Amino acid sequence: MSRSTGTTTNSPRTRPGSRAAALLAGAASMLALGVLGATAPPATASPNDAQVNGQATWYNTGLGACGWVNDDSQLVVAVSAALYGNYPNPNNSPVCGKQLRVNGPLGSVTVTVVDRCSGCATNDVDLSPAAFRQVGDPNAGRINISWDWV
């Protein structure tokens, strides 16, 4: 078993009372690094990024990771876990409610992020049936698309 380098020992360099300060500094460092549950923002494709290429699938909607209930007739999307991010409360993802414009073989559609797609590659999206029909044939199941944040 290895010993953590961040622990305080009773060495001659340790001043009385500095253990509490060292523990507080260590806790602050761990929070900044995300060790205690906080996480970094989504990996790529922030709302300021240019158009990206990926694939689209469709899914039956319901209660999404953003905490909202949607139905299949709404123009909504689930983005990859890499874009959605990982938060102690998934309702707090900064992408919830953001919109993106998806371009496919049959046209374009603007959709609102309401969910996370755990099986999607980074730039892939999972569209509601209504949204998918505007960009591709639902019988295809998976289509090549491009998209960008609106």
Side-chain angles (χ1 to χ4, degrees):
M1 180 182 273
S2 64
R3 195 175 250 204
S4 171
T5 58
T7 59
T8 306
T9 62
N10 290 330
S11 71
R13 289 190 261 173
T14 304
R15 296 187 319 257
S18 66
R19 179 170 169 80
L23 289 173
L24 285 173
S29 296
M30 288 186 348
L31 281 172
L33 293 172
V35 173
L36 295 178
T39 58
T44 58
S46 71
N48 296 322
D49 286 345
Q51 193 170 60
V52 295
N53 295 313
Q55 293 189 325
T57 52
W58 62 270
Y59 75 111
N60 294 111
T61 60
L63 176 62
C66 291
W68 308 322
V69 176
N70 296 98
D71 65 60
D72 292 349
S73 68
Q74 293 176 300
L75 301 178
V76 295
V77 64
V79 295
S80 69
L83 294 179
Y84 193 88
N86 186 18
Y87 299 88
N89 179 349
N91 300 169
N92 293 335
S93 173
V95 299
C96 289
K98 301 280 186 204
Q99 292 189 316
L100 49 111
R101 182 115 178 122
V102 179
N103 307 298
L106 299 181
S108 298
V109 65
T110 299
V111 290
T112 302
V113 176
V114 298
D115 206 352
R116 172 181 49 218
C117 175
S118 354
C120 289
T122 299
N123 292 326
D124 291 354
V125 296
D126 209 2
L127 298 167
S128 66
F132 194 96
R133 281 191 296 275
Q134 292 193 27
V135 296
D137 179 2
N139 293 319
R142 178 179 298 273
I143 58 171
N144 292 321
I145 51 112
S146 62
W147 64 266
D148 59 310
W149 297 96
V150 177

